[in-house]
Amino acid sequence: MTYLALPIIFFVGYFIVKKYNTQAVLLLAGLLMIALGVLSGHEDFMPKGGKPTGAVIVDFFEVIKVIASSTLAKLGLIIMAVGGFSKYMSHIGAANAMVQIATKPLSHIKNPYLVLAMAYIIGQLINIFIPSATGLALLLLVAMYPVLVGVGCNPAAAAAVVATTGCLDLGPASSAANKAAEVSGIDVATYFVSYQMVVAGAAMIVIAILHFVCQRYFDKKDAENGVEREFNLEEKEQRQVPKWFAILPVLPLLLLLTFSKFAITSIRMDVVTAMFISLFVAMACDYIVERDGKAVAASLKVYLDGMGGVFASVVSLIIAAQVFVNGLKSIGFIDLLLNSASSFGFGYLAMVLVLVGIILLVTLLSGSGNASFFSFSNLAPDVATQVGAPIAAVAMPMQLASGLMRSASPVAGVIIACSAVANVSPIDLAKRTVIPMLGGLATVLIVSQILI
């Protein structure tokens, strides 16, 4: 039955590309592979922490319950807390205040392509505090995009840069980073400082340079062909808040890094606790400014709605992806992959290239970095054991690759949103982003190999 794994993976990708619900596709594919595994004699398919119910048919759905219970109690709660906080920061205007302050220096730079390179780096750093790639892009389209066009940047070039600002999914607020930290068995602050930032720093420089070169090339090509891009952005009213509100989105990261092995070790703080503390500090600040206790109390619903929205979009995807991976294990595909690597003498780089290649293909076709990374991230511990590398060193290139290729996929939400503003087709916009993203990916793989 193992040979059926690849056709099933192919059809999963096909249905996702055809816009079938990703969670439903992964869930059904996982259950199908578990059933095929049972038919081939592999009846021990229950994940860790689960016990057989006495009926194989019921066990199929017990798998979902066990995975959902484990995910919601740990990673799911973290991601929901982060999602709620991110939405609350946008609601009170703190996210916009941070973007306004961060982008102000851009107006003083005269070279438009240097402005684009700097804009990417600024946007990528803001991504640490605003973890949604599409959400960040929509915010930057209001706050940064007009600045870029105003200093002489081509609207298509500006849109390409904005579309890539969240490509690396950095920081403790990122759902993908939290998943990578979980499978690596380390806290997310350690994953961010010891692994992500070391590699991402080099990738950011390469991507910024490639944006400088690529956007200038495509602008010249447009000029030669007589193509003109129009500035197409509806002005949206933003809540006016004091500039010091810009510190509020940064507060969770400050707490996590302060109360960790990098600073104060006598107090330990996890992501959820940091988010709740930051939420109540933000509500207190909002009250100081607005002096409306009823409105501030009502704003808690924004946070709760954000948690619910993230459950529907991200946490449910993680649960479905874990069922899918459980199916891959049940059908014997993962054992086959590891045994093949052993027999061919594959080392760290070769195995990472295989996993990254799968993620690149799925992300490029589906436009979802989360769908691809969450589906295959659980392979990292087994692969790391096989090649004798730290788990985080395997999980990190997979995680960063999923975000990079999302910003090069013409069907990704962030590309579609930015292309509409620049009056350019998603495919043409993806052409402007694919070289910087591939350059970033190559940098991630090379630096990861050096650090192992």
Side-chain angles (χ1 to χ4, degrees):
M1 292 292 182
T2 304
Y3 61 88
L4 292 175
L6 289 178
I8 290 173
I9 293 173
F10 170 80
F11 279 111
V12 165
Y14 172 80
F15 284 118
I16 291 175
V17 170
K18 290 296 181 180
K19 302 299 180 182
Y20 280 70
N21 180 269
T22 303
Q23 287 90 329
V25 171
L26 290 172
L27 204 60
L28 292 175
L31 293 176
L32 173 61
M33 288 188 288
I34 290 173
L36 292 174
V38 171
L39 291 176
S40 64
H42 184 222
E43 297 184 4
D44 183 20
F45 56 81
M46 195 64 64
K48 185 179 180 181
K51 296 180 180 179
T53 63
V56 174
I57 296 295
V58 179
D59 284 348
F60 288 172
F61 301 96
E62 182 72 10
V63 167
I64 301 175
K65 189 208 82 171
V66 171
I67 290 174
S69 299
S70 174
T71 301
L72 287 170
K74 298 176 183 176
L75 182 63
L77 180 59
I78 292 172
I79 294 172
M80 289 164 67
V82 168
F85 184 75
S86 179
K87 187 168 183 177
Y88 192 80
M89 289 296 98
S90 295
H91 172 73
I92 65 173
N96 187 56
M98 182 176 66
V99 171
Q100 293 285 0
I101 290 175
T103 57
K104 190 173 182 180
L106 295 176
S107 60
H108 301 295
I109 304 175
K110 302 303 180 183
N111 186 316
Y113 300 104
L114 182 58
V115 171
L116 290 173
M118 294 302 299
Y120 163 72
I121 292 178
I122 290 172
Q124 188 68 78
L125 292 174
I126 294 174
N127 175 239
I128 296 173
F129 315 106
I130 304 174
S132 167
T134 304
L136 173 62
L138 292 174
L139 184 61
L140 294 179
L141 285 173
V142 174
M144 178 188 282
Y145 182 79
V147 174
L148 298 179
V149 176
V151 298
C153 297
N154 185 321
V161 168
V162 170
T164 61
T165 49
C167 67
L168 291 174
D169 276 337
L170 296 178
S174 164
S175 57
N178 275 279
K179 177 62 176 174
E182 184 200 41
V183 299
S184 302
I186 57 179
D187 65 88
V188 71
T190 301
Y191 175 74
F192 171 58
V193 174
S194 300
Y195 290 91
Q196 265 196 332
M197 281 309 296
V198 178
V199 175
M204 285 167 59
I205 293 172
V206 171
I207 292 171
I209 293 171
L210 289 176
H211 266 310
F212 183 102
V213 175
C214 289
Q215 303 317 322
R216 184 170 60 178
Y217 167 78
F218 280 105
D219 285 354
K220 287 182 178 179
K221 198 172 179 181
D222 280 353
E224 291 171 0
N225 296 329
V227 177
E228 293 185 3
R229 308 294 183 185
E230 296 180 1
F231 182 33
N232 177 35
L233 184 66
E234 294 181 8
E235 290 292 332
K236 294 183 179 179
E237 187 176 343
Q238 298 289 315
R239 180 180 175 186
Q240 298 301 312
V241 295
K243 291 182 178 180
W244 57 266
F245 262 44
I247 194 65
L248 296 178
V250 185
L251 190 56
L253 180 62
L254 292 178
L255 289 172
L256 287 169
L257 295 180
T258 300
F259 300 107
S260 70
K261 70 177 185 179
F262 303 106
I264 300 173
T265 57
S266 58
I267 300 174
R268 298 301 301 271
M269 186 177 296
D270 62 20
V271 175
V272 177
T273 304
M275 291 297 164
F276 284 147
I277 291 173
S278 302
L279 168 65
F280 281 94
V281 170
M283 292 179 73
C285 292
D286 196 24
Y287 176 76
I288 291 171
V289 172
E290 295 297 319
R291 296 292 180 179
D292 187 343
K294 187 175 182 180
V296 172
S299 70
L300 182 61
K301 187 176 183 297
V302 174
Y303 183 89
L304 299 175
D305 285 343
M307 292 182 72
V310 169
F311 171 80
S313 61
V314 179
V315 178
S316 61
L317 178 60
I318 295 175
I319 293 170
Q322 288 180 336
V323 173
F324 177 69
V325 171
N326 202 74
L328 289 174
K329 289 181 179 179
S330 179
I331 207 172
F333 177 75
I334 294 177
D335 287 339
L336 175 65
L337 184 67
L338 295 175
N339 291 335
S340 298
S342 179
S343 61
F344 284 109
F346 282 6
Y348 165 78
L349 183 60
M351 281 305 298
V352 167
L353 286 174
V354 170
L355 294 174
V356 166
I358 295 172
I359 285 175
L360 291 186
L361 182 61
V362 176
T363 303
L364 201 59
L365 294 175
S366 69
S368 172
N370 283 343
S372 58
F373 178 65
F374 292 150
S375 296
F376 297 100
S377 59
N378 285 348
L379 301 180
D382 292 332
V383 170
T385 301
Q386 185 78 25
V387 300
I391 300 174
V394 176
M396 182 190 58
M398 297 168 64
Q399 184 242 315
L400 296 180
S402 66
L404 286 161
M405 277 304 101
R406 177 188 57 220
S407 291
S409 171
V411 296
V414 66
I415 292 290
I416 293 171
C418 293
S419 66
V421 170
N423 276 331
V424 59
S425 73
I427 291 178
D428 285 341
L429 189 63
K431 288 178 181 178
R432 285 177 171 264
T433 65
V434 67
I435 294 176
M437 296 302 94
L438 289 175
L441 176 61
T443 305
V444 166
L445 293 173
I446 292 170
V447 177
S448 298
Q449 173 72 9
I450 292 172
L451 293 177
I452 293 302

